[in-house]
Amino acid sequence: MAHIILYDIRLPGDPELIWSPNTSKTRYALNYKGIPYKVIWLTYPEVRSEIPKITKSDRAPTVPVIVDLLHGDKVIQDSWKIAKYLEEAYPNTPSLFNSNAGVHLFFHNYLTDNLLWVIVRLTVLSLMDKTDEDKDYFRRTREDFLGMTLEEYAGDEEGNGKQMTAYLEPIGKVFKVYPYISGTQGKGEKMTTMILINP
């Protein structure tokens, strides 16, 4: 029986693809902790229409969102907040942070603020091609947010690749010396890096 409902985003052109880095972080957390869950898939327009009904907040409608059926249908939005919540709500499961939540938050923020946006630029046009009937919505909402066309935002692939390598270099230097950022098993830090590179 599922303890958690996870809301994830579906690409109509490839409905079986698990592709979102942010929702993938929550999947990895749930899988690592061994918490049973079920997934409800939403398209881009459905995220905008349905998520506010679930969160009942004025926050931007984004995924992941979880509903914890075991704890009074508690609703949590945002992958980092979900990870913190799961640590507290399910203390008898394997820890994601190994008592080093601050280190993991720094690592999470470094990757999100730097590497993630390079990967978005590298993949945004191919993702749009998989949105099928939602393509106009995908383009319009993102170009309104960015203030430029998606082609302009995507920029130069070679330059993006070099920038991604530069952001990964300090992480690689650490992993050459130490197998893990904290603890004796790869947890949040390696999960986050792996998800961003290959969700």
Side-chain angles (χ1 to χ4, degrees):
M1 175 183 174
H3 296 173
I4 299 283
I5 296 174
L6 167 64
Y7 289 87
D8 203 340
I9 192 160
R10 179 175 66 87
L11 293 173
D14 196 348
E16 301 300 318
L17 181 66
I18 298 170
W19 66 273
S20 166
N22 288 323
T23 61
S24 293
K25 282 182 277 187
T26 298
R27 283 176 178 269
Y28 271 81
L30 290 166
N31 290 336
Y32 184 78
K33 285 182 162 293
I35 301 170
Y37 64 97
K38 71 174 182 178
V39 178
I40 294 180
W41 292 95
L42 301 174
T43 62
Y44 275 103
E46 288 170 340
V47 168
R48 189 162 190 170
S49 64
E50 299 304 313
I51 290 300
K53 299 175 186 177
I54 299 161
T55 61
K56 295 180 173 59
S57 76
D58 57 2
R59 285 196 59 187
T62 60
V63 289
V65 168
I66 66 166
V67 178
D68 188 348
L69 304 175
L70 215 60
H71 295 87
D73 293 346
K74 179 79 172 177
V75 177
I76 308 291
Q77 183 180 15
D78 178 81
S79 62
W80 176 257
K81 291 180 179 178
I82 291 170
K84 285 181 61 182
Y85 172 79
L86 294 175
E87 284 286 278
E88 297 168 2
Y90 293 86
N92 296 322
T93 60
S95 174
L96 297 168
F97 303 138
N98 199 52
S99 300
N100 289 308
V103 173
H104 287 265
L105 178 59
F106 172 83
F107 200 86
H108 175 275
N109 288 345
Y110 172 80
L111 292 172
T112 301
D113 294 344
N114 296 290
L115 185 62
L116 176 61
W117 295 107
V118 179
I119 295 172
V120 170
R121 289 198 296 273
L122 283 166
T123 60
V124 65
L125 296 179
S126 62
L127 283 175
M128 182 177 65
D129 288 339
K130 294 180 183 294
T131 57
D132 285 2
E133 67 267 22
D134 298 335
K135 188 177 294 186
D136 289 343
Y137 176 89
F138 183 95
R139 178 182 284 278
R140 174 174 52 80
T141 54
R142 275 139 192 81
E143 290 184 347
D144 286 349
F145 173 77
L146 295 167
M148 65 181 74
T149 68
L150 292 184
E151 287 78 9
E152 290 171 330
Y153 178 72
D156 173 56
E157 183 174 346
E158 182 178 353
N160 289 331
K162 289 179 179 178
Q163 192 172 19
M164 184 168 73
T165 300
Y167 285 138
L168 285 170
E169 185 176 1
I171 300 170
K173 287 180 178 179
V174 172
F175 286 143
K176 283 182 179 179
V177 180
Y178 301 102
Y180 312 113
I181 296 293
S182 67
T184 58
Q185 297 183 60
K187 297 183 182 178
E189 73 283 346
K190 282 199 170 181
M191 287 181 189
T192 302
T193 308
M194 180 170 59
I195 290 164
L196 289 178
I197 297 172
N198 185 27

